[in-house]
Every structure is written in C-alpha cells, then in structure tokens.
Amino acid sequence: MAELTMGHVLELAEVQAADPVLLSGRPLLDAPVRWVHVTESSENAELLEGRELVLSTLRNVNPTVPDLRQFLDRLQLAGAAGVLIEQFADASPHTAALFSEACAGLELPVVWLRRQVRFVQITEVIHKLLVAQQLRAVEFSRHVHEIFTELSLSEADEHRIVEKTAQLLNAPVVLEDVRHRVLAHAGAGQGAESVLEHWISRSRFVGYAEATGRGHGAEDWLQTPVGAVKNRWGRLVVPARLEDESSAALVLERAGQTLTIARLSGRDQRELLYQARTSLLHELLQQHSLSEKEVQVRAEALGLDTAGHYVPVAIELMLPAGQSPTSMQLREREVLEVVDQVAEAMRLGVLSGSLRAGVLAAILPLAARELADGILQRFARQLGENLGRPVAVGVGNTASLIAQCAKNLEEAAQVAEIVPNLPTRIRPYYRFADLRLRGVLSAMGTDGRMRGFAHTELAGLLNPVDRDGLELLELYLQHGGNKSALAKAGYLSRPTLYARLSKLEQKLGFALDSAESRASLQVALLWYRLHG
C-alpha cells in the first residue's frame, strides 16, 4: 500500500508524453504527493498546505533567473512535493540554461515538460490514484481493526497477537518487557531465532519511544510502546526494514493497543479470581456452616486440585517498614501471580490468596504425605528464583480435609513471620519444629504473662530503651557467656569489655555469670526481638 510519490508521477504515461526533464531534487523523488495544485504566481504559495504537486506554465513569472528562483523557493518553503513546469513553446538551449541556473542547488524536485500537455489530464489521473490510495488505506485500516478486534474478543494471548502481527507485516516481530526480556516473538518465516541472537545486549542500546516510530540507537527498529501511558510494561518491535512504513506503523500500533487491552483484561480476571480465593480462605479460617463437600466444590471451582492430602503454606513478603497500603497490595498481587506461575509449571492446582497485610497463603494438593517435602522444596525454591529474591515460607500441619488445612494456615503464617528473624536461614521453608525456642516464643506473642516476664527481665535496658546495651547482651548470649570470644568478635580490649559488661550487670540488677540468668535473659530477649 505504497504512497504516490514524485517518482511515480514522473513515470505516468501522461507525464512521459510531455518529454519531462528532471532539473533538481532527485534525492526527494520518494516524497509523497498528497494533492495537485495549479498556480501561475508565487503569491499563491501561501495557499499550499504541504505535499502538493504544483503545475505551472510560469505565465505570471518573469523569465529571469532571480524571478524564477524566487518562485521555486517560495514553493519549496510552503512544503510542495514537486513542480511540473510546462514550457513547450520555447524549448531552446537558452530556456534550458535558464531553468538549469534557476534550479541549481534546489532540493525541491522540478520537472520541465518540453511538450504540450493538458494539465487536466495529469490532474485527473493523479486524483484517481490518490482517491484509490485513500480507499485502500481505509480498507486496510478496517481490515486491521477487524483482525485485532477479533483477537481481543476471543481473549487471544500475547503469543497469538504477536504471531498475527508478524503475519500481517511479513516480518519478524518481538514483544519485550522493560528489562528487554523477550516475552513473545514470531518470525513470519524470516528466521526469528537469528533475530533474537544477543537480543538483550542489542536492545539496551535502542531508546524507548513514547509513540509508534523508529527508535534511536545502534538498531533503528520500528517500535510501539505497550501498556497504559503511566504504566508501560514493554514494547513491540519490528527489527527489520519494511517496504511500507506507514502501513506497518498502523499494524504495530493496533497490535500494541490489543496487547495492552489483553494484559489489562487478564489482570481484571486474575484480580477477581484472587478476591474470590481470598474470600474463601478467610471464610474457612472463621466459624462457618459449610460442609466438607461444599468446601471441596468451591475450592475446586477456584482451581484447587482434588487430592488425598493438603498442605498449608504461608509467605511473608518481608517488605520495608512504612509501605503504603497501595504498595502493599501491588506487591501482594505480583507475588500471587508468581505463585500461580510456579504452580502451573509444577502442574499443581493451588488455592492462594491474601491472609493479611504482608502475608499470603496457599493450599497445595498432595497425592501422598510422603511427597510433601519434595513438592514444598521445589515450590519454595522456584518461588524465590522467579521473584529474584529470597522469600520467607512457613508450612503448617498437613490435613486430609481442605477446611482443616485452611485452619492450619495461621500456624504456617506464624512460622513465616518468624523466619526473617532467624540468625541464619538454610532451608527453603520452615515448620514450627524447625524454629524450636523461637517458634514457642512466637506462639506466645499475645500471652500477657510472657510479656510481663520479658519486660521484667530486661527492665533495666527498656526504661528508657538502651539499644547499645541490648546489642551487647545479645552478643554476650550468642557467645555463651565467653568473654574472650566476645572480645575478639567485637574487636574490644578485655578491660573495655569487662567495664561494659559490669555496667550492663548494674543496669540489669543481677550477675551474668549464672547459667540460669543467661537462660532467662536469652528467652526474654528472644521474645522481645519477636514482639517488642
């Protein structure tokens, strides 16, 4: 669907019959022609809007080099695509020299017609071509619109949309995210695998464009942004030269819009699914009148596989303090999407949702209890790998009934909330048995007696809070009361350390040498670190 250009005009039979001579502007013969305008005076140049082909007999222009050059300069400044000058009556060497001198150095394509021609014939044939071109453009646009509308209505995925785009363009098409990772690609028979070679390193040097067009950089790729204006998540790229740039840009832009709609639609569907799953989990955690059969039917409808056993899993997001509710929710949705991806890769139908702010829950199906450790290890490790950061995963007791498994999610959540406080983490997931004393103290977080004990033991360091003293006490207990080891670890001289420990004993009100004192302080300090 190529545009009509000055080069095409020169090849028309009506123009060729007039014995045309190109006087200037050969590099701009590919300039598109929008319409035809006839003028005999430079005063009419202001009527041009750009890209017109100007026809003239120079009837009102003095046959001198300055006047002729002024006429042509004004047409060029007005944005004309080219000029056809009819001067058949005086095709003498003098006229040829006059035209050549006037057009010297001119960028505007100027054509001298040395034989008589009716301008109406040229105008008519060009207008027919332009109207036909516009009709083809409208038809092509309608065709493209119908194709991508159908893809949207049929809820086509990203791969299908990219494949169709490549077919329409007959060129390689690549969809990448903002980190230049390829999400989908199609080659349309153009060898997409070779196109993708060293893709990330090449793509990093191609600047992003906020509108459809060619990017700046080492690779001059045609591209269009994908995603809402304030939430771009990728771009669609054609890493090849194209014969019809305007049509390709239309297809690429429509494809980018369809991908954006598909992603937004998918998110809406997932959001509804997450809300339904979260609602069921919360219902099962509270008092309810559902029978086990009803629970099973609802859970299966939300994607949980039927199994002989179920294991409850909780995920602590470990977000920095001070996160806004919106940031927290966005992070939860991101991790829930990854949970679904991991479960799909493992061919597990799970029930996952938000347990409370910063803690997610999932129920995993087990064909047999003996498979629990293998499935949990793979699930936790892949979750951390896909997120690109470690996660705190807690596991509760396995149950044969979905409702009972859901009740055990609180236990898993308590474990997950303790895991970030462990001095070392060597396991992909933890149960209460793995936490030992920390697990017991975590479970006693709301026990008033435990709070009273901890605050009494540490009273000398809490009123007001002596952070340096708490840190020294923690280091002392970690080294089992060994002052020599503590001095080496803290790079302190013994006299300095003894002085600080003596001051610490004075604040606490009892000696640290007693094993019972150290045990009491260890328990109190652990509880305080967990619950404050």
Side-chain angles (χ1 to χ4, degrees):
M1 199 171 62
E3 292 184 291
L4 180 68
T5 66
M6 279 299 300
H8 295 142
V9 170
L10 268 177
E11 295 172 359
L12 294 175
E14 289 77 6
V15 175
Q16 286 294 316
D19 191 16
V21 174
L22 181 65
L23 300 174
S24 64
R26 184 174 296 279
L28 296 183
L29 286 180
D30 58 349
V33 174
R34 183 180 60 83
W35 205 239
V36 179
H37 183 81
V38 179
T39 185
E40 301 297 344
S41 171
S42 62
E43 300 300 325
N44 295 329
E46 62 185 21
L47 300 178
L48 300 182
E49 296 181 1
R51 294 172 53 191
E52 291 94 346
L53 170 63
V54 176
L55 307 182
S56 180
T57 62
L58 303 180
R59 184 175 303 167
N60 297 327
V61 179
N62 291 326
T64 63
V65 170
D67 288 345
L68 181 57
R69 182 55 180 252
Q70 181 187 33
F71 173 70
L72 296 175
D73 282 341
R74 295 193 67 172
L75 293 180
Q76 177 172 280
L77 187 62
V83 184
L84 297 186
I85 299 175
E86 184 193 66
Q87 278 285 342
F88 66 93
D90 186 15
S92 64
H94 172 72
T95 301
L98 172 69
F99 283 162
S100 296
E101 187 177 351
C103 294
L106 196 67
E107 295 182 356
L108 178 70
V110 178
V111 180
W112 175 25
L113 304 180
R114 295 181 294 184
R115 294 180 185 172
Q116 186 176 14
V117 63
R118 293 181 178 178
F119 280 170
V120 67
Q121 293 179 337
I122 295 177
T123 302
E124 183 178 13
V125 69
I126 291 178
H127 283 179
K128 285 182 179 179
L129 291 172
L130 290 173
V131 170
Q133 174 183 297
Q134 291 170 359
L135 288 175
R136 287 196 303 272
V138 170
E139 178 61 24
F140 181 73
S141 178
R142 183 190 64 80
H143 177 62
V144 170
H145 174 76
E146 289 179 349
I147 287 175
F148 286 108
T149 298
E150 175 60 28
L151 289 172
S152 292
L153 293 176
S154 62
E155 298 182 347
D157 61 14
E158 296 170 349
H159 292 276
R160 176 65 182 139
I161 295 170
V162 171
E163 286 176 357
K164 195 62 181 179
T165 305
Q167 291 173 11
L168 287 169
L169 297 179
N170 192 30
V173 177
V174 178
L175 174 64
E176 66 168 22
D177 64 12
V178 293
R179 295 173 64 184
H180 307 286
R181 296 174 299 190
V182 175
L183 304 178
H185 66 85
Q190 303 299 315
E193 295 303 328
S194 60
V195 168
L196 298 180
E197 189 173 359
H198 307 302
W199 178 267
I200 292 180
S201 59
R202 292 163 56 205
S203 179
R204 283 175 179 161
F205 291 96
V206 181
Y208 267 76
E210 275 303 311
T212 303
R214 291 203 169 270
H216 302 287
E219 310 267 3
D220 188 25
W221 292 339
L222 183 66
Q223 59 172 296
T224 194
V226 180
V229 174
K230 294 184 179 180
N231 189 26
R232 300 296 194 197
W233 52 265
R235 63 179 171 181
L236 201 57
V237 176
V238 181
R241 280 289 170 188
L242 300 161
E243 293 183 4
D244 189 350
E245 192 88 356
S246 61
S247 297
L250 171 67
V251 172
L252 201 64
E253 186 167 341
R254 191 68 179 86
Q257 294 168 355
T258 304
L259 286 164
T260 299
I261 293 171
R263 176 67 68 94
L264 291 173
S265 174
R267 282 186 174 176
D268 287 344
Q269 293 174 6
R270 288 193 296 273
E271 182 66 24
L272 291 173
L273 177 62
Y274 295 149
Q275 289 178 4
R277 286 175 169 177
T278 296
S279 178
L280 178 58
L281 289 174
H282 285 197
E283 192 173 349
L284 296 178
L285 281 166
Q286 300 166 2
Q287 294 294 330
H288 62 86
S289 58
L290 297 174
S291 67
E292 183 59 32
K293 180 63 176 177
E294 290 174 321
V295 171
Q296 184 173 354
V297 170
R298 287 181 59 180
E300 287 178 3
L302 292 173
L304 181 63
D305 289 341
T306 302
H309 304 276
Y310 301 92
V311 58
V313 174
I315 303 163
E316 163 67 44
L317 299 186
M318 297 190 296
L319 293 175
Q323 289 285 306
S324 68
T326 301
S327 299
M328 182 78 74
Q329 188 177 39
L330 290 174
R331 178 61 176 155
E332 287 179 358
R333 293 299 178 263
E334 178 190 353
V335 177
L336 282 172
E337 286 186 19
V338 176
V339 168
D340 280 350
Q341 293 169 7
V342 172
E344 185 176 351
M346 295 176 63
R347 297 185 179 180
L348 290 177
V350 304
L351 183 66
S352 57
S354 176
L355 194 61
R356 51 178 169 268
V359 181
L360 304 180
I363 293 178
L364 276 56
L366 298 174
R369 285 180 179 271
E370 294 78 13
L371 301 176
D373 284 340
I375 289 176
L376 288 168
Q377 286 208 23
R378 184 181 172 192
F379 177 82
R381 291 189 188 282
Q382 286 194 8
L383 185 63
E385 290 174 3
N386 287 15
L387 288 172
R389 62 182 69 85
V391 290
V393 178
V395 177
N397 288 329
T398 302
S400 58
L401 300 178
I402 298 173
Q404 183 56 51
C405 182
K407 292 290 186 184
N408 295 339
L409 281 171
E410 278 297 347
E411 174 190 335
Q414 290 177 10
V415 176
E417 290 171 341
I418 297 169
V419 169
N421 298 313
L422 295 177
T424 58
R425 289 166 53 193
I426 59 174
R427 297 173 57 86
Y429 67 91
Y430 285 82
R431 300 179 187 271
F432 252 127
D434 303 317
L435 301 177
R436 307 183 70 183
L437 180 58
R438 288 177 184 267
V440 173
L441 295 178
S442 177
M444 299 177 69
T446 59
D447 191 313
R449 293 170 297 179
M450 191 65 216
R451 172 179 290 274
F453 164 75
H455 279 255
T456 299
E457 286 288 306
L458 302 173
L461 301 177
L462 299 181
N463 298 309
V465 176
D466 181 356
R467 299 190 183 280
D468 291 337
L470 288 170
E471 184 178 351
L472 178 60
L473 176 61
E474 191 168 21
L475 289 172
Y476 178 77
L477 296 173
Q478 285 178 0
H479 287 83
N482 189 320
K483 297 177 182 178
S484 298
L486 177 57
K488 292 180 180 178
Y491 302 99
L492 299 172
S493 65
R494 291 196 180 188
T496 300
L497 176 61
Y498 292 163
R500 291 183 61 184
L501 288 176
S502 177
K503 184 178 180 181
L504 182 62
E505 288 179 331
Q506 292 174 12
K507 283 194 170 188
L508 290 171
F510 47 80
L512 296 173
D513 293 337
S514 167
E516 183 177 350
S517 291
R518 291 198 301 273
S520 293
L521 288 169
Q522 181 74 64
V523 171
L525 189 57
L526 276 175
W527 188 94
Y528 178 77
R529 291 301 195 197
L530 289 171
H531 306 291

